[in-house]
Amino acid sequence: MAGLGNIVQADWKLESRMMGSIEIGGSNHFAWCFIDPEHGGEGFGGDRTSLGSHLEFREGEMCSIDFYNRSGMPHTIHLHGLDVDQANDGVPATSFEVPGFGSYKYVFRAPHAGTYHYHCHVDTVLHYAKGMFGTIIVRPADGSTDRAWDGGPTFDEEVLWNLATTDTNWNDNLIASGPETARFNPDGFVINGGETAAASADAMTAIAVQRGQKVYLRLVQSSYQWARVSLNGLPFEVVATDGRPMPTPIQATSWELGPGERYDILFTPNTAGTFRPMVEYLDDYTSRVIGSVKTKLVVS
């Protein structure tokens, strides 16, 4: 399942990393992220340093994230979309910051099975843009990894796409927000930290299925632009949003997501061939396409 569904546990560890990298336009640029020191020692699936590790919990369990701040500046983990108490919300104005080289154990009960988000909430404008975010997947209470939620749809293949844009000037030259962060000028457009060539070759991003198999695609919108997702004309159902089932699934061939939103879509390709799913990133004012990224869907 594209690397997902392998580790469902109640307790996780995360560390801040300030010396990661992301390749944009053929050049490496600095990135910050949260890494999982116990499963690969990197971010996302344990294999990259430009995207935070994805974490998986079971619905209803008491859970924890042991956060070790390895940098010399403060960070937090904000559990975006999860209903937690104030002390574990990770918003400095209403709780606290984890100081440089400090630690904190975030504790919460996993909510309804679905797709959630986490990110640093210190100097959010810059820390978020530089990559300090990731995904939380809450599995059904029985821990099953082929069903969206208790009584929800089942699937044969599961894929997670983090949608993001990068301003390489911010990544390379800024360590705190200020006058330069008044304007975000993206020059990198990625899925799971990769532009088109990388995203098309990435086993965690590209999709390979047989005709008639059901694909569950979790979309996490981590960019500052609106994003439009399409599957090269293939129809799909939007079945969940922000960790909750849609009252009625929506049939679509493209879907737009605002910053911070999560949508889960379900589709069953019935025609063999190679398709080119695409994410288009949109200007906030005019809705024109300012950049895009493609990946690959192979149906055999």
Side-chain angles (χ1 to χ4, degrees), residues 136-154:
I136 291 174
I137 296 174
V138 177
R139 300 292 184 183
D142 64 2
S144 59
T145 58
D146 61 352
R147 184 180 294 277
W149 60 85
D150 187 23
T154 58

